[in-house]
Amino acid sequence: MKEKIERIKDKLNQLKKLDRNFNAFGSQRHKYKLNTTKSEQELIDFEKAHSISLPEEYREFLKNIGNGGAGPYYGLEPLENGRFADLDYKREEDLIDLSKPFPHTEHWNLELGELTENNEEEYAKKEEEYFDEKWINGLLRVSNFGCGVYLNLVVNGPEYGNLWVDDRCNDQGIYPDPYSEKDGRIQFLDWYESWLDKELQEKKAGNNGNRCTSP
C-alpha cells in the first residue's frame, strides 16, 4: 500500500509538470492541487457518525495524499461532500444514507418509457421512483463527471470498496465503473492510478481529453 501511495504521488507530480496549461479534462477546476489530508481521528469521527468503515485504500489516500482535489473528471470531492445526492447543488436535505447497504450487485436501470400527453402522471411517478435515494444507499460520492454523472465508492454492502457510476440523469442507471479490469470491478487506488496512467499517456502523445462523452 505504501509503495502504491508513493507511486501515485510521483505520477501526479509528473502529470502536473506535463499539463501546465491544464488541458486535461477537469484540470482547469482542480489545477492538480490537493486539499489538506485528514487525520486518523477525523476519519474515525466520520465513520462513527455514519455507522460505516471507510475502505482501507480510500482511508490511506485521505490520510497520505489529500482530502479531495486533483483527480479523475472534475477532481475528487472532499469527504464531507460525499453524502450529497446532488454534487452540483449540495442540499442539506438531500443526503445519501451511508448506514444502509448499497442494494446493487449488477447493472441496474428502470425503463421509464416515452413521455406523452396521456401518461404524464404515470411517467412522473416512474421518474420519482427512478431517482429515489434508496437506490444509492451506501454510496459515497467521490467525483463529479459532469452531465449529471457521479462516480461513487461503495462503503456499505456486498460491493464494498468498489467504484460504481450513478448515470440516472442520462437514463443509463447505476453500474460498476466501466474502466474496471479485475472481475469487472475496481477499487480506489487502482482507479485513481489508472486515471493518472491514462492522462500521462495522452499528454506524452500530445492529446487532450474530451468532456461529457462517457465515464
Side-chain angles (χ1 to χ4, degrees):
M1 182 83 72
K2 183 177 180 181
E3 181 181 340
K4 185 177 286 189
I5 290 288
E6 293 305 314
R7 189 169 67 236
I8 283 173
K9 288 180 179 178
D10 180 62
K11 288 181 179 180
L12 183 58
N13 285 331
Q14 289 181 48
L15 182 56
K16 184 177 181 179
K17 291 176 182 178
L18 284 173
D19 191 24
R20 296 184 185 278
N21 294 322
F22 308 121
N23 290 317
F25 174 16
S27 61
Q28 289 188 355
R29 178 174 295 183
H30 59 69
K31 299 185 187 300
Y32 300 107
K33 295 178 181 178
L34 291 160
N35 299 328
T36 304
T37 55
K38 284 290 190 183
S39 69
E40 177 66 18
Q41 189 58 53
E42 287 176 314
L43 295 178
I44 290 172
D45 290 343
F46 184 89
E47 290 172 325
K48 286 183 177 179
H50 304 296
S51 302
I52 60 165
S53 176
L54 292 168
E56 183 181 3
E57 291 193 359
Y58 184 58
R59 285 181 112 263
E60 290 301 308
F61 189 98
L62 293 173
K63 287 170 59 178
N64 296 290
I65 298 182
N67 177 32
Y73 312 117
Y74 285 108
L76 295 181
E77 292 291 327
L79 177 63
E80 296 78 11
N81 287 355
R83 293 182 62 226
F84 288 111
D86 189 332
L87 289 175
D88 294 318
Y89 294 97
K90 300 182 178 68
R91 293 181 288 264
E92 290 293 338
E93 69 276 11
D94 191 14
L95 299 174
I96 298 169
D97 189 343
L98 302 182
S99 69
K100 295 180 180 178
F102 179 58
H104 311 296
T105 56
E106 300 293 339
H107 185 170
W108 170 88
N109 206 2
L110 287 179
E111 180 58 54
L112 297 179
E114 184 178 354
L115 175 63
T116 67
E117 293 181 357
N118 299 321
N119 71 348
E120 291 182 1
E121 185 175 346
E122 180 183 357
Y123 188 91
K125 289 181 180 179
K126 286 184 179 180
E127 191 171 43
E128 183 178 1
E129 172 69 9
Y130 190 48
F131 288 100
D132 193 303
E133 287 165 19
K134 67 184 179 183
W135 303 120
I136 53 172
N137 285 336
L139 281 188
L140 185 75
R141 305 289 202 209
V142 293
S143 182
N144 189 347
F145 178 80
C147 308
V149 186
Y150 303 127
L151 280 293
N152 313 270
L153 182 64
V154 180
V155 297
N156 197 337
E159 287 290 313
Y160 180 78
N162 295 327
L163 272 293
W164 278 63
V165 181
D166 181 356
D167 196 2
R168 290 175 295 169
C169 278
N170 298 294
D171 301 329
Q172 299 302 307
I174 301 170
Y175 50 87
D177 186 276
Y179 294 122
S180 303
E181 297 177 359
K182 183 180 179 182
D183 300 324
R185 300 292 187 271
I186 194 167
Q187 299 204 342
F188 188 81
L189 291 181
D190 285 340
W191 173 75
Y192 192 88
E193 190 170 13
S194 68
W195 164 70
L196 289 169
D197 290 340
K198 177 177 178 291
E199 292 297 341
L200 283 169
Q201 183 179 14
E202 290 189 350
K203 295 301 157 293
K204 289 174 182 177
N207 299 326
N208 296 321
N210 296 319
R211 297 170 184 262
C212 288
T213 52
S214 177

